[in-house]
């Protein structure tokens, strides 16, 4: 068994990647979007690879684009299959042995990647109540893919699963217990696939068994979260009941005093949709400085733009607070890693995030931090730093593929 198709479905689009798991080599990837609109768009890229013994690919990646009506995910899958048939790679040679699906919410039920059957589909559907923006799209993708690839295992890989190891004191809100129980309110945590992947990469980079390493992972993308990981187990994470809690994000507030919502309802006539829009789409970096791309904000801040400077100050202030809190929860750490768009690319954010941890022996090497090679693991702490600080590129698709392969292989062995 060696080829896995990874599918990441949203409500009106899905991304896919075909991976040869023998060398974790991407064979093709694509995006089917604007599902349900008048004209859908499908983009399919066949990845070029060097022949054995050759230093570099002899042909370039080939990207094809097609536009036509794609009314639903089932049609989207048919379009994807046509793209494979027309442009390769051929399924005769590289037929997927399993299909892995990203599912945002697995609730308290799913603590690992799980083979999808009708009962699992039903649970994902039931969990749409907790993730109304995410689970329905994933479910559509799963149904369409199960119809298109009826004879292989489909595996659901949940963003929440990695955090199911959190102890009760970390996942419990100090809410009325009965209300919390009835409405399944607790901290679930998200970005688990990325936190798991990055923490494994970091331990491997240190050359130490995962079980012996205490670490903190900052996933700073458009969405942002931080996780404390003890011996490979998530013990605390900043996203909570939804992906809104915690760090300042591109368009989301992260932590706010919930009484602000009551205040806006009482005195300014905000209803549920207004609050949802404010908290999830009009806040964070966009709310503070009108833009969510950290590249722009850093450039503007350097040119003395005060809104951009404040946005970065608030962003970093929150990261520092979490770094301190999680170091305290773990009782110290061996390694702190930065990942995702901002974490992998914004040297300024990384150095400012840790600039007050000198008292714990955290020493950033500024030259290393400013010259991190793109796409590679890099140490940015100096050699005499007591805590190693790394930049670790995340790869959620590869992690989904690994877990898919593992679950499918395990099932076959049963
Ligand atoms: P998503 O959460 O959508 O997967 P990503 O992990 O791709 O997000 O991160 C996207 C964000 O990364 C962008 O909004 C941008 O702020 C930031 N980013 C990307 N490249 C750079 C860069 N060179 N410098 C600073 N920030 C960057």
């Amino acid at each position: 068994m060696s080829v896995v198709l990874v599918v990441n479905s949203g409500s009106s689009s899905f991304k896919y990647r075909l991976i040869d798991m023998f060398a974790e080599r991407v064979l093709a990837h694509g995006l089917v979007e604007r599902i349900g609109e008048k004209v859908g768009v499908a983009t399919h890229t066949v990845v070029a690879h060097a022949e054995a013994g050759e230093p570099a690919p002899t042909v370039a990646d080939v990207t094809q684009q097609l536009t036509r009506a794609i009314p639903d995910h089932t049609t989207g899958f048919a379009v994807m299959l046509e793209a494979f048939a027309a442009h390769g790679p051929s399924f005769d040679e590289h037929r997927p042995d399993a299909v892995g699906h990203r599912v945002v919410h697995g609730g308290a039920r799913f603590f690992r990647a799980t083979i999808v059957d009708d009962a699992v589909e039903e649970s994902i559907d039931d969990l749409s109540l907790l993730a109304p923006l995410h689970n329905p799209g994933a479910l559509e993708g799963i149904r369409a893919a199960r119809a298109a690839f009826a004879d292989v295992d489909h595996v659901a890989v949940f963003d929440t699963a990695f955090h199911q190891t959190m102890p009760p004191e970390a996942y419990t809100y100090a809410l009325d217990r009965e209300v919390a129980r009835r409405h399944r309110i607790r901290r679930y945590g998200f970005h688990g696939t990325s936190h798991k992947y990055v923490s494994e990469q970091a331990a491997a980079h240190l050359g130490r068994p995962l079980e012996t390493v205490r670490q903190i992972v900052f996933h700073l993308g458009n969405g942002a979260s931080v996780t404390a990981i003890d011996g490979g187990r998530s013990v605390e994470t900043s996203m909570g009941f939804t992906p809104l809690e915690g760090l300042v994000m591109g368009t989301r507030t992260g932590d706010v005093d919930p009484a602000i919502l009551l205040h806006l309802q009482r005195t300014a006539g905000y209803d549920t949709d207004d609050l949802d829009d404010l908290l999830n789409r009009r806040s964070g970096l966009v709310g503070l400085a009108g833009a969510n791309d950290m590249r722009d904000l850093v450039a503007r801040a350097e040119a003395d733009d005060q809104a951009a400077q404040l946005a970065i100050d608030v962003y970093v202030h929150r990261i520092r607070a979490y770094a301190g809190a999680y170091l305290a929860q773990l009782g110290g750490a061996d390694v702190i890693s930065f990942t995702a768009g901002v974490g992998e690319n914004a040297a300024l954010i990384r150095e400012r995030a840790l600039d007050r941890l000198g008292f714990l022996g955290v020493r950033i090497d500024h030259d290393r931090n400013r010259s991190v090679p793109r796409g590679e693991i890099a140490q940015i702490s100096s050699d005499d730093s007591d805590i190693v600080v790394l930049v670790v590129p995340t790869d959620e698709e590869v992690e989904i593929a690994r877990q898919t392969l593992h679950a499918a292989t395990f099932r076959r062995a049963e």
Side-chain angles (χ1 to χ4, degrees), residues 54-113:
E54 287 179 11
T58 46
V59 282
D61 292 4
V62 178
T63 300
Q64 311 283 339
Q65 203 173 59
L66 169 145
T67 50
R68 73 142 101 135
I70 304 175
D72 49 33
H73 282 68
T74 305
T75 314
F77 267 83
V79 169
M80 180 192 80
L81 294 179
E82 280 168 33
F84 273 102
H87 309 293
S90 144
F91 278 161
D92 293 338
E93 237 177 289
H94 302 287
R95 180 143 188 92
D97 300 288
V99 182
H101 297 269
R102 174 181 180 229
V103 181
V104 166
H105 218 308
R109 163 153 184 209
F110 296 107
F111 54 91
R112 63 169 170 230

Side-chain angles (χ1 to χ4, degrees), residues 191 219-223 292-295 340-342 345-346 374 396:
H191 286 152
H219 176 112
L220 309 177
N222 232 329
N292 63 349
D293 194 315
M294 193 54 88
R295 273 165 294 205
V342 177
N345 297 299
R374 224 185 161 77
E396 290 172 272

